[in-house]
């Protein structure tokens, strides 16, 4: 078990934490940035140990861990609990909290209040907001107040209904041009990085070339400065259909299912627990305990 250093002063990066500025330097050196989602302390710890640069506590949690059909129901309180847990597990990676639907759409003020909650209550290093248009003013407000902010365009799950479902974006020249302009506007507003989700690879490549901030692709091709995948998709833990851009690196649902079935069988067969899983006590203490029970029984029988 490792011990954690004392909590640093607010706004001070914890010792060993990747500097936010390092992301742009990785882009400049053409070193790919590895980002992954996580939702609890063990996944935060494992992502850190595996060398991830950025951990996104995505509002995908609504689907992957809270069992909803979309990301929309995620609340600030839920996201704060999850982000705080991830932060307890992860030390080096930057921990980015995803601002859930309703936490930033209403006004710059509400966005700032919620972003500050993430920083103060969960120790998030940065936040992420979906969209462009009205989101640009939110990014300016958050960055102006000192909260590092990541943008997210293309397929933005919080507005999937408006986009006509979970499908690729920017597949016509006009839509691609709009995405390109949104990307430039988000960078000009102060975003430190940009997620490009389900965007044709040549469009993502042009956006990546045009920006000095890194692009992080998910279904946006290999030219992006980094990639992100959802923890449950990568590990085969999500009980639903995954988009074509997912690469599944393990089938943990099968591993977990078989382990739990063997446990249930062992319990039913009384083959668990074994001697080595149980505690003993000194013989003489056991004899005294049995004698006390005997006295107890006699007293009850006399009543
Ligand atoms: O919520 C999430 O996990 C995300 C990623 C897909 C980028 O926004």
């Amino acid at each position: 078990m490792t011990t954690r250093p004392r909590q640093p002063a607010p706004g001070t990066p914890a010792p060993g934490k990747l500097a936010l500025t390092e992301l742009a330097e990785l882009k400049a050196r053409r070193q790919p940035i590895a980002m992954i989602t996580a939702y609890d302390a063990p996944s935060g710890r494992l992502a850190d140990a595996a060398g991830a640069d950025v951990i996104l506590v995505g509002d995908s949690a609504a689907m992957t861990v809270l069992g909803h059909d979309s990301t929309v129901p995620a609340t600030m309180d839920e996201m704060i609990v999850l982000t705080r847990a991830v932060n307890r597990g992860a030390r080096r990676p930057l921990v980015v909290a995803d601002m859930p639907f309703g936490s930033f759409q209403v006004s710059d003020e509400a966005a700032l209040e919620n972003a500050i909650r993430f920083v103060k209550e969960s120790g998030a290093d940065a936040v992420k907001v979906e969209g462009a248009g009205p989101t640009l003013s939110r990014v300016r407000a958050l960055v102006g107040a000192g909260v590092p902010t990541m943008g997210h365009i293309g397929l933005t799950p919080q507005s999937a209904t408006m986009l006509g479902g979970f499908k690729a974006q920017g597949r016509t020249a006009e839509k691609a041009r709009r995405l390109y302009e949104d990307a430039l506007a988000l960078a000009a507003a102060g975003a430190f990085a940009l997620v490009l989700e389900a965007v044709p690879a040549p469009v993502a490549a042009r956006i990546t070339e045009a920006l000095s901030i890194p692009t992080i692709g998910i279904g946006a091709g290999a030219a992006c400065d980094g990639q992100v995948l959802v923890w449950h998709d990568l590990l085969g833990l999500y009980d639903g259909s995954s988009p074509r851009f997912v690469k599944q690196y393990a089938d943990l649902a099968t591993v977990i299912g078989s382990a739990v079935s063997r446990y249930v069988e062992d319990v039913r067969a009384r083959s668990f627990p074994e001697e080595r899983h149980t505690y003993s006590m000194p013989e003489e203490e056991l004899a005294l305990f049995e004698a006390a029970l005997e006295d107890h029984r006699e007293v009850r029988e006399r009543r």
Side-chain angles (χ1 to χ4, degrees):
M1 187 162 149
T2 53
T3 51
R4 285 182 71 87
R6 261 179 358 103
Q7 198 69 14
T12 311
K17 174 74 74 179
L18 186 80
L20 191 76
T21 48
E22 181 65 17
L23 294 184
E25 286 162 22
L26 286 170
K27 173 181 176 111
R29 295 200 295 271
R30 295 190 183 282
Q31 270 176 256
I33 297 164
M35 172 160 132
I36 185 167
T37 70
Y39 313 101
D40 55 18
S43 53
R45 181 171 45 76
L46 290 168
D48 184 352
D53 301 304
V54 185
I55 297 180
L56 172 67
V57 188
D59 63 353
S60 48
M63 300 170 78
T64 54
V65 298
L66 301 177
H68 295 291
D69 290 335
S70 82
T71 62
V72 168
T75 67
M76 273 302 296
D77 287 346
E78 287 164 346
M79 292 300 296
I80 282 176
V81 169
L82 302 180
T83 308
R84 201 187 289 143
V86 169
N87 221 6
R88 288 189 195 109
R91 284 154 164 260
R92 177 187 170 271
L94 286 161
V95 175
V96 180
D98 210 0
M99 296 202 58
F101 183 67
S103 69
F104 68 94
Q105 283 83 355
V106 175
S107 64
D108 288 357
E109 291 70 25
L112 191 49
E113 256 172 45
N114 284 317
I116 288 174
R117 277 195 71 193
F118 267 131
V119 173
K120 292 180 78 135
E121 295 177 38
S122 73
D125 299 307
V127 298
K128 173 170 87 58
V129 285
E130 289 188 7
T135 301
L136 294 172
S137 135
R138 310 294 183 260
V139 174
R140 278 191 289 271
L142 303 188
V143 174
V147 182
T149 306
M150 177 180 270
H152 180 166
I153 55 171
L155 171 53
T156 44
Q158 291 174 10
S159 40
T161 310
M162 299 257 294
L163 299 174
F166 286 85
K167 55 186 196 187
Q169 301 297 308
R171 297 181 91 178
T172 65
E174 175 51 24
K175 286 181 177 159
R177 189 186 57 77
R178 258 188 266 149
L179 270 184
Y180 184 89
E181 281 168 6
D182 286 347
L184 296 189
L186 281 160
F192 72 89
L194 195 54
V195 170
L196 299 176
E197 179 164 355
V199 170
V203 178
R206 287 284 184 243
I207 292 174
T208 301
E209 277 165 27
L211 297 182
S212 57
I213 60 166
T215 58
I216 311 288
I218 174 160
C224 292
D225 299 303
Q227 300 291 328
V228 57
L229 277 180
V230 167
W231 183 266
H232 288 60
D233 287 338
L234 185 154
L235 295 173
L237 279 170
Y238 184 59
D239 184 25
S241 61
S242 292
R244 59 172 282 159
F245 55 69
V246 167
K247 179 169 175 186
Q248 192 182 311
Y249 286 81
D251 181 9
L252 291 196
T254 302
V255 174
I256 292 171
S258 133
V260 177
S261 304
R262 281 189 287 121
Y263 161 72
V264 169
E265 278 166 25
D266 281 1
V267 169
R268 298 216 167 111
R270 293 194 187 279
S271 49
F272 172 81
E274 297 162 39
E275 193 66 34
R276 64 199 168 102
H277 304 123
T278 56
Y279 298 101
S280 62
M281 66 193 288
E283 285 295 327
E284 57 281 14
E285 292 299 329
L286 182 55
L288 286 172
F289 173 59
E290 298 288 7
L293 288 187
E294 185 58 26
D295 291 350
H296 204 256
R297 192 178 56 78
E298 280 172 16
V299 170
R300 276 212 326 257
E301 280 173 2
R302 260 185 258 125
R303 275 195 198 135

